[in-house]
C-alpha cells in the first residue's frame, strides 16, 4: 500500500496518494467535481477547464493537477461556480446548440452541466453561429461538429483505445475544430463498434449513430432523472 | 391592483402560448391576479396602456417582429423572453447557418417555395406581396434587439415552468427554477 496524505476540499478531508490528481482523489472519496473533457478511461487533458478549482488560492484544473499534501482546495464557492458558468455559457455561444432538435438532448453532458449550474438567464456573449459542414458520408455514423466543444474525447478514445486515430484537431485558436483522418468519415477506417463512437464518449451530440434517433422518451432520459454528478450543489445564480 | 400582462408571438410557433394553457385550472387563479392587455389570448391587437409584464415568444425574423418588440419594450416594465426561439433564436435560427450557402436566406426561400419536391407552386415565384413584412438577413434573438430582463428556457417551457416564473414575477419575488424545471428542449 503506497503512502497516503490528505488535503482539504471545501472543508472536507480527502486522502490521496502520490501521483493522484485532485479529481481522482475526489472521485475516490465520492466527491464530484464538474468536468466535461475528462471521463473515466481516458487520459486527462485539462482543456475544458470546467473542473477549475483553487488550490492554495491559485486556479488549477482538478483533472490534471496532482493533489498536494495539506493543500486547501476550493471547488463549490460562488467565485468558482461563476467561472464554471461562464465557461459553459461560452461553449453554448461558440457552437450551434439547438437542443430541441438534438438527439443528445437529455443525455448531453454540456446541457446537463448547464442545468446543474442553474444557467437560465441571458448573457453578454454574442452567439457566434458557426457554419460547419455535417459529415453524413458513413453508413452508420454522422459527425456534426456544429455542436463540438473540442473536448478531444473522441480523439483520445480513437487513438488510445481503438488504436486508429480517426479524429484529430485541425486549425488553431477560434478556428480549431475536430477533423477526420480522410476526406470524410466514409473515407476512414472508423467503425460503429469503435470505442470512440460509443455514446458515452462524445459528451454532446456531434457523433450520432444513424438509425437510432430519439431512442429514450422525454422524462426518462439520463439527466431528466438525476443531475450530472449526482446530488445538485451550487445552484444559486 | 391587478398586474397588467401583454403577450405576443413573433418568430415562434405559438407552442409557448399553448404551453401557458397547460397550467390548467390555475388559469383561473392567474386571472384573479392579472389582467391581459395586448395578447393573442384576447385578440387585442394594440396596447391600451403601460403593462407590468410583457411575455415575448419567438425571435425576430422580419421587420414587423422588430417593430413589435420595440413596442413591447416601450410599454412593459419587465420584458421576458419566453422559450428557446426568443432566447437564442430556436428553430428559425437554423436558417442563419445553412451549410455552404453564399446566401442562406435566398437558398432557404428557394427550397421552401421553388425547388423542393414537395412544393406545388404554379406561379413559380417566391411570395413578394407588399403586405408581407420584409424578412431580415438573419434571425435575431430578442436580446440582440432590446434589453431583456428575464428569460425562460424551454421549447416550450412547460406549464409548470411558466406558472413558477409568472407566480414569482407577479409577487415581485426573486426566485430560481428548480432543477427539474430547467430544460432547453
Ligand atoms: S449537444 Fe447538448 S447542448 Fe448542444 S444542442 Fe445537443 S443537447 Fe443541446
Ligand atoms: S466531436 Fe464530441 S467527443 Fe469529439 S471533440 Fe467534439 S465534442 Fe468532444
Ligand atoms: S420555443 Fe419552441 S414552442 Fe416556443 S415558439 Fe419556439 S419552437 Fe415554438
Amino acid at each position: 500500500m503506497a503512502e497516503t496524505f490528505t488535503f482539504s476540499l471545501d472543508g472536507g478531508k480527502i486522502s490521496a496518494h502520490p501521483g493522484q490528481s485532485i479529481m481522482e482523489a475526489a472521485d475516490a472519496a465520492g466527491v464530484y467535481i464538474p468536468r466535461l473533457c475528462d471521463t473515466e478511461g481516458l487520459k486527462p487533458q485539462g482543456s475544458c477547464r470546467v473542473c477549475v478549482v483553487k488550490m492554495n488560492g491559485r486556479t488549477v484544473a482538478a483533472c490534471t493537477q496532482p493533489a498536494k499534501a495539506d493543500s486547501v482546495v476550493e471547488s463549490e464557492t460562488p467565485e468558482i461556480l461563476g467561472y464554471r458558468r461562464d465557461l459553459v455559457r461560452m461553449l453554448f455561444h461558440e457552437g450551434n446548440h439547438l437542443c430541441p432538435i438534438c438527439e443528445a438532448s437529455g443525455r448531453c453532458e454540456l446541457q446537463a452541466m448547464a442545468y446543474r449550474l442553474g444557467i437560465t438567464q441571458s448573457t453578454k456573449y454574442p452567439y457566434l453561429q458557426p457554419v460547419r459542414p455535417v459529415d453524413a458520408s458513413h453508413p452508420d455514423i454522422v459527425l456534426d461538429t456544429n455542436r463540438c466543444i473540442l473536448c478531444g474525447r473522441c480523439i483520445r478514445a480513437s487513438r488510445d483505445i481503438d488504436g486508429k486515430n480517426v479524429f484529430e484537431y485541425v486549425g488553431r485558436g477560434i478556428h480549431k475544430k475536430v477533423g477526420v483522418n480522410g476526406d470524410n468519415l466514409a473515407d476512414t477506417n472508423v467503425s460503429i463498434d469503435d470505442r470512440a463512437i460509443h455514446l458515452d464518449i462524445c459528451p454532446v451530440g456531434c457523433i450520432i449513430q444513424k438509425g437510432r434517433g430519439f431512442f429514450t422518451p422525454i422524462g426518462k432520459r439520463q439527466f431528466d432523472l438525476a443531475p450530472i454528478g449526482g446530488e445538485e450543489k451550487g445552484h444559486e445564480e | 391592483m391587478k398586474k397588467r400582462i401583454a403577450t405576443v408571438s413573433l418568430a415562434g410557433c405559438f407552442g409557448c402560448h399553448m404551453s401557458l394553457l397547460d397550467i390548467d385550472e390555475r388559469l383561473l387563479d392567474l386571472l384573479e391576479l392579472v389582467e391581459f392587455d395586448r395578447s393573442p389570448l384576447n385578440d387585442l391587437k394594440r396596447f391600451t396602456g403601460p403593462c407590468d409584464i410583457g411575455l415575448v415568444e419567438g425571435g425576430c425574423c422580419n421587420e414587423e417582429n422588430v417593430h413589435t418588440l420595440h413596442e413591447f419594450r416601450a410599454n412593459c416594465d419587465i420584458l421576458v423572453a419566453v422559450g428557446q426561439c426568443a432566447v437564442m433564436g430556436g428553430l428559425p435560427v437554423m436558417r442563419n447557418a445553412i451549410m455552404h450557402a453564399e446566401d442562406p436566406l435566398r437558398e432557404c426561400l428557394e427550397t421552401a417555395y421553388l425547388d423542393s419536391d414537395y412544393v406545388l407552386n404554379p406561379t413559380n415565384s417566391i411570395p413578394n406581396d407588399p403586405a408581407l413584412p420584409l424578412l431580415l438577413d438573419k434571425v435575431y434573438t430578442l436580446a440582440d434587439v432590446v434589453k431583456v430582463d428575464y428569460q425562460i428556457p424551454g421549447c416550450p417551457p412547460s406549464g409548470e415552468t411558466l406558472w413558477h416564473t409568472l407566480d414569482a414575477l407577479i409577487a415581485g419575488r426573486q426566485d430560481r427554477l428548480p432543477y427539474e424545471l430547467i430544460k432547453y428542449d
Side-chain angles (χ1 to χ4, degrees), chain A residues 78-125:
Chain A
E79 181 191 0
I80 290 176
L81 289 170
Y83 294 151
R84 289 189 186 138
R85 281 193 192 100
D86 278 346
L87 288 162
V88 169
R89 282 189 163 129
M90 283 192 271
L91 292 172
F92 272 92
H93 286 250
E94 190 272 333
N96 291 324
H97 293 280
L98 290 145
C99 299
I101 55 142
C102 180
E103 290 187 32
S105 196
R107 63 174 170 83
C108 166
E109 294 177 32
L110 174 67
Q111 186 191 63
M113 195 58 73
Y115 292 174
R116 182 187 170 96
L117 293 167
I119 296 176
T120 55
Q121 293 312 310
S122 59
T123 67
K124 52 191 180 293
Y125 308 123

Side-chain angles (χ1 to χ4, degrees), chain B residues 7-160:
Chain B
T7 80
V8 71
S9 175
L10 304 177
C13 75
F14 269 96
C16 291
H17 272 82
M18 296 299 288
S19 197
L20 185 60
L21 302 181
D22 278 340
I23 66 174
D24 302 328
E25 73 275 8
R26 283 170 296 185
L27 272 172
L28 301 174
D29 301 334
L30 185 64
L31 288 174
E32 293 293 315
L33 301 169
V34 306
E35 208 159 348
F36 280 93
D37 198 275
R38 176 185 173 152
S39 168
L41 299 172
N42 55 16
D43 215 19
L44 257 184
K45 305 272 196 273
R46 307 237 176 278
F47 278 99
T48 63
C51 290
D52 299 289
I53 301 169
L55 304 176
V56 183
E57 160 189 326
C60 291
C61 75
N62 64 37
E63 60 172 357
E64 189 200 21
N65 294 155
V66 175
H67 179 79
T68 308
L69 180 56
H70 280 299
E71 256 183 359
F72 263 71
R73 181 67 278 184
N75 283 285
C76 303
D77 291 345
I78 298 174
L79 195 69
V80 187
V82 182
Q84 288 307 102
C85 292
V87 167
M88 51 74 69
L91 303 201
V93 88
M94 289 175 80
R95 85 156 149 95
N96 293 8
I98 293 173
M99 269 202 295
H100 314 303
E102 289 281 311
D103 191 349
L105 176 56
R106 173 170 301 280
E107 195 156 313
C108 184
L109 290 172
E110 284 176 354
T111 303
Y113 290 103
L114 309 178
D115 301 338
S116 165
D117 291 341
Y118 306 99
V119 167
L120 177 63
N121 181 359
T123 63
N124 201 39
S125 61
I126 292 170
N128 196 22
D129 192 283
L132 292 173
L134 193 66
L135 288 180
L136 303 176
D137 60 335
K138 45 180 203 153
V139 174
Y140 294 85
T141 71
L142 299 192
D144 285 339
V145 181
V146 294
K147 177 177 180 291
V148 173
D149 300 301
Y150 296 102
Q151 59 182 37
I152 311 177
C155 180
S158 66
E160 211 56 51

